[in-house]
Amino acid sequence: MSEKVRNMFADIADDYDRINGILSFGVHNAWRKKTVLESRAKPGDRVLDCATGTGDLALEFKKTVGHQGYVLGTDFCKEMIEHAPAKAEDENLVVEFEVADAMDLPYDDNSFDVTSIAFGIRNVDDPSVALKEMARVVKPGGRVVVLEFGQPEGLIRYPYQFYSKHVMPTVGGWISGNREAYTYLPETSAKFPAGDKFLNLMNQTESFSSTKAIKLTGGIAYVYVGTVA
């Protein structure tokens, strides 16, 4: 799956930010802020953002950890990450970016205070391996935070299913020229374990002393927080 996903993201990289803004109506910005808040990152912390894409979550963390802190954004798709440095420069933020695989992080144990991944954990070949790696490079007592889509319940469920199944592929495909990518992304979201199921996955790694899930926008997304054992 990795090579397929890498090629897909490489193909849509140039249009990724614009399409995200349109399809999410900007709500993803609030979700990122909530992710940083739940991470309890503070000035001076060291943060590793995996599957950083074009760097949005890494930049949000940098605003919190300040000039005395350090943020490194990594992604296994170089075409996506190539857009990130210019965005950091535009916001006068010093963030480092490099190509790296979340399932095989080239960093020492206990190197960071926080690791994060936004809308990327469902795209790795083995989420458990990625979670273990993210926990490995975090100091004991530090946090691993995951922002990922869920499956909303209640009144919002059916409108959201229609939107993700029909509107997202149409709009995303029209703008990017890759309808398959914007069919794949909501399909994986619908199948990926969410809520308590994802917490069970985190707990099975035996990497965390505690875990919790925070539901966002009726369950369209979740923030998961694991405190490293």
Side-chain angles (χ1 to χ4, degrees), residues 32-186:
R32 282 195 297 271
K33 292 180 186 297
K34 180 65 170 175
T35 302
V36 174
L37 180 66
E38 292 293 339
S39 78
R40 290 163 47 198
K42 61 186 184 301
D45 275 355
R46 291 174 54 84
V47 178
L48 172 66
D49 183 40
C50 302
T52 197
T54 59
D56 286 333
L57 185 57
L59 300 188
E60 197 64 45
F61 268 109
K62 184 60 178 177
K63 295 172 187 175
T64 294
V65 303
H67 68 274
Q68 66 269 51
Y70 173 76
V71 178
L72 172 61
T74 65
D75 202 287
F76 79 154
C77 178
K78 68 179 181 62
E79 288 84 358
M80 285 287 286
I81 210 168
E82 283 170 355
H83 294 265
K87 290 170 71 173
E89 188 174 341
D90 287 345
E91 297 195 41
N92 294 314
L93 297 171
V94 178
V95 178
E96 291 188 12
F97 296 98
E98 62 187 37
V99 176
D101 189 339
M103 290 178 55
D104 186 19
L105 295 171
Y107 312 113
D108 293 336
D109 296 358
N110 310 328
S111 298
F112 297 92
D113 300 288
V114 175
T115 58
S116 61
I117 186 167
F119 308 117
I121 194 72
R122 75 184 191 280
N123 293 320
V124 302
D125 284 341
D126 191 332
S128 293
V129 171
L131 287 168
K132 288 178 182 179
E133 273 293 272
M134 292 172 68
R136 177 184 65 78
V137 301
V138 169
K139 302 169 186 175
R143 285 157 300 284
V144 172
V145 289
V146 178
L147 173 60
E148 189 53 85
F149 287 114
Q151 298 94 39
E153 300 292 338
L155 293 175
I156 199 173
R157 178 181 178 183
Y158 295 107
Y160 178 74
Q161 286 179 344
F162 177 85
Y163 180 77
S164 61
K165 188 173 181 179
H166 299 287
V167 177
M168 289 178 65
T170 300
V171 175
W174 176 64
I175 296 174
S176 69
N178 189 334
R179 184 184 176 93
E180 182 183 2
Y182 286 92
T183 301
Y184 165 86
L185 291 170

Side-chain angles (χ1 to χ4, degrees), residues 4-16 77 79-80 176-182:
K4 177 183 177 181
V5 172
R6 193 198 317 270
N7 291 337
M8 180 188 71
F9 278 110
D11 189 60
I12 65 176
D14 291 345
D15 300 301
Y16 186 77
C77 178
E79 288 84 358
M80 285 287 286
S176 69
N178 189 334
R179 184 184 176 93
E180 182 183 2
Y182 286 92

